[in-house]
Amino acid sequence: MKRVLFALPLMVMASSAFAAGLTVTNHSGLPIDELTVSAAGANAFGANLMDGIKEGALDDGKTVTIAELADGTYDFKISAPDEGVLCTIKDVKVAGAKVELTPEQGKSCK
């Protein structure tokens, strides 16, 4: 019984950390309405991580917290259909549940 009581606070802390998600700051110069991710070079993009987040929430210069993503290197496919944006930003480093998309990365989409 003592083991269960000891583990419970750890489980609550872990679920709180999981709920936090990934903080994305967009300085790419591009609006982002949809974001899908693949392991770098795998070309296996999953579901939209911004599902349920309002349009315009990640326009250039803005920051938003989206679905959880483990630290690592990924390819990000970004889309803003109304503005005609659809491209892939390769080798994006995610660390500490944060990522900042740079102007240089945005130029690779133009």
Side-chain angles (χ1 to χ4, degrees):
M1 181 68 162
K2 289 181 182 180
R3 288 183 200 174
V4 172
L5 293 176
F6 176 74
L8 187 58
L10 294 176
M11 290 177 5
V12 170
M13 287 182 355
S15 66
S16 296
F18 179 77
L22 173 70
T23 300
V24 179
T25 300
N26 182 14
H27 292 295
S28 70
L30 302 166
I32 301 173
D33 294 330
E34 299 174 4
L35 178 91
T36 59
V37 177
S38 171
N43 201 29
F45 293 91
N48 178 16
L49 296 180
M50 292 184 57
D51 192 33
I53 296 175
K54 69 178 180 135
E55 188 173 326
L58 196 51
D59 284 349
D60 188 48
K62 294 187 177 179
T63 299
V64 71
T65 300
I66 61 171
E68 185 71 24
L69 187 63
D71 287 358
T73 302
Y74 299 91
D75 292 342
F76 281 22
K77 188 174 283 188
I78 64 171
S79 173
D82 294 344
E83 291 85 1
V85 173
L86 176 60
C87 71
T88 302
I89 300 175
K90 296 187 179 285
D91 299 321
V92 177
K93 303 225 183 312
V94 173
K98 293 182 182 178
V99 67
E100 182 172 340
L101 299 175
T102 66
E104 292 77 26
Q105 290 169 317
K107 287 177 189 173
S108 68
C109 287
K110 296 180 181 178

